[in-house]
Coordinates of all heavy atoms in Angstrom, one line a residue:
G484 N 106.3 80.0 89.6 CA 106.2 81.4 89.2 C 104.8 82.0 89.2 O 104.7 83.2 89.1
G485 N 103.8 81.2 89.3 CA 102.5 81.6 89.3 C 102.0 82.1 90.6 O 102.7 82.2 91.6
S486 N 100.7 82.4 90.7 CA 100.1 83.0 91.9 C 98.8 82.3 92.2 O 98.1 81.8 91.4 CB 99.8 84.5 91.7 OG 101.0 85.2 91.5
L487 N 98.5 82.3 93.5 CA 97.2 81.8 94.0 C 96.8 82.7 95.2 O 97.7 83.3 95.9 CB 97.2 80.4 94.5 CG 97.3 79.2 93.5 CD1 97.5 77.9 94.3 CD2 96.0 79.2 92.8
R488 N 95.5 82.9 95.4 CA 95.0 83.5 96.6 C 94.1 82.6 97.4 O 93.1 82.1 96.8 CB 94.2 84.8 96.3 CG 93.9 85.6 97.6 CD 93.3 86.9 97.3 NE 91.8 86.8 97.0 CZ 90.9 87.7 97.1 NH1 91.3 89.0 97.5 NH2 89.7 87.5 96.8
L489 N 94.5 82.3 98.6 CA 93.7 81.4 99.5 C 92.8 82.3 100.3 O 93.1 83.4 100.7 CB 94.6 80.6 100.4 CG 95.7 79.7 99.7 CD1 96.4 78.9 100.8 CD2 95.0 78.9 98.6
S490 N 91.6 81.8 100.6 CA 90.7 82.5 101.5 C 90.3 81.6 102.7 O 90.2 80.4 102.6 CB 89.4 82.8 100.7 OG 89.6 83.7 99.6
C491 N 90.0 82.2 103.8 CA 89.6 81.6 105.0 C 88.4 82.3 105.5 O 88.5 83.5 106.0 CB 90.7 81.6 106.1 SG 90.2 81.0 107.7
A492 N 87.2 81.7 105.5 CA 86.0 82.3 106.0 C 85.9 81.9 107.4 O 85.8 80.7 107.8 CB 84.8 81.8 105.2
A493 N 85.8 82.9 108.3 CA 85.8 82.7 109.7 C 84.4 83.0 110.3 O 83.8 84.0 109.9 CB 86.8 83.5 110.4
S494 N 83.9 82.3 111.2 CA 82.6 82.5 111.8 C 82.5 81.9 113.2 O 83.4 81.2 113.6 CB 81.5 82.0 110.9 OG 81.6 80.5 110.8
G495 N 81.5 82.3 113.9 CA 81.2 81.7 115.2 C 81.5 82.5 116.5 O 81.0 82.1 117.5
R496 N 82.4 83.5 116.3 CA 82.8 84.2 117.5 C 83.4 85.5 117.0 O 84.0 85.6 115.9 CB 83.8 83.4 118.3 CG 84.3 84.1 119.6 CD 85.2 83.1 120.3 NE 85.9 83.8 121.4 CZ 86.7 83.2 122.3 NH1 87.1 81.9 122.1 NH2 87.3 83.8 123.3
T497 N 83.4 86.6 117.8 CA 84.1 87.8 117.5 C 85.6 87.5 117.4 O 86.1 86.7 118.1 CB 83.9 88.9 118.5 OG1 84.6 90.1 118.1 CG2 84.2 88.5 119.9
F498 N 86.3 88.2 116.4 CA 87.7 87.9 116.3 C 88.5 89.1 116.8 O 89.8 89.1 116.5 CB 88.0 87.6 114.8 CG 87.5 86.3 114.4 CD1 86.2 86.1 113.9 CD2 88.3 85.2 114.6 CE1 85.7 84.9 113.6 CE2 87.8 83.9 114.2 CZ 86.6 83.7 113.8
S499 N 87.9 90.0 117.6 CA 88.7 90.9 118.3 C 89.7 90.1 119.3 O 89.3 89.1 119.8 CB 87.8 91.8 119.2 OG 87.0 92.6 118.3
N500 N 90.9 90.7 119.4 CA 91.9 90.0 120.3 C 92.3 88.6 119.8 O 92.6 87.7 120.5 CB 91.4 89.9 121.7 CG 92.6 89.7 122.7 OD1 93.7 90.2 122.5 ND2 92.3 88.9 123.7
A501 N 92.2 88.5 118.4 CA 92.6 87.2 117.8 C 93.8 87.4 116.9 O 93.9 88.5 116.3 CB 91.4 86.6 117.1
V502 N 94.6 86.4 116.8 CA 95.6 86.3 115.8 C 95.2 85.2 114.8 O 94.8 84.1 115.2 CB 97.0 86.0 116.3 CG1 98.0 85.8 115.2 CG2 97.4 87.1 117.3
M503 N 95.2 85.5 113.5 CA 94.8 84.6 112.5 C 96.1 84.2 111.8 O 97.0 85.0 111.4 CB 93.9 85.2 111.5 CG 92.6 85.8 112.1 SD 91.6 84.6 113.0 CE 91.1 83.5 111.6
G504 N 96.3 82.9 111.6 CA 97.5 82.4 111.0 C 97.2 81.5 109.8 O 96.2 80.9 109.7
W505 N 98.2 81.5 108.8 CA 98.2 80.5 107.8 C 99.4 79.6 108.0 O 100.6 80.1 108.2 CB 98.3 81.2 106.4 CG 97.1 81.7 105.9 CD1 96.7 83.0 105.9 CD2 96.0 81.0 105.2 NE1 95.4 83.2 105.3 CE2 95.0 81.9 104.9 CE3 95.8 79.6 104.9 CZ2 93.8 81.5 104.2 CZ3 94.7 79.3 104.2 CH2 93.7 80.2 103.9
F506 N 99.2 78.3 108.0 CA 100.3 77.3 108.1 C 100.3 76.4 106.9 O 99.3 76.3 106.2 CB 100.0 76.5 109.4 CG 100.3 77.3 110.7 CD1 99.3 78.1 111.1 CD2 101.4 77.1 111.4 CE1 99.5 78.8 112.3 CE2 101.6 77.8 112.6 CZ 100.7 78.7 113.0
R507 N 101.4 75.7 106.7 CA 101.4 74.7 105.7 C 102.1 73.5 106.2 O 103.0 73.5 107.0 CB 102.1 75.2 104.4 CG 103.5 75.5 104.5 CD 104.1 76.2 103.3 NE 105.5 76.5 103.3 CZ 106.1 77.2 102.4 NH1 105.5 77.7 101.3 NH2 107.4 77.4 102.6
Q508 N 101.7 72.3 105.6 CA 102.3 71.1 106.0 C 102.4 70.2 104.8 O 101.4 69.8 104.1 CB 101.5 70.4 107.1 CG 102.2 69.1 107.6 CD 101.5 68.7 108.9 OE1 100.3 68.9 109.1 NE2 102.2 68.0 109.8
A509 N 103.6 69.8 104.4 CA 103.9 68.8 103.4 C 104.0 67.4 104.0 O 104.3 67.3 105.2 CB 105.2 69.2 102.6

């Protein structure tokens, strides 16, 4: 029932024309 906010710091290249995804694996 609680909440979390995950962050992803991206660097190294322009992200124009990019899709960013979040995935999970148990």
Side-chain angles (χ1 to χ4, degrees):
S486 298
L487 284 173
R488 190 176 78 160
L489 307 183
S490 298
C491 172
S494 63
R496 183 177 172 181
T497 178
F498 289 89
S499 299
N500 198 36
V502 176
M503 309 297 296
W505 282 99
F506 291 78
R507 66 185 180 189
Q508 187 168 28

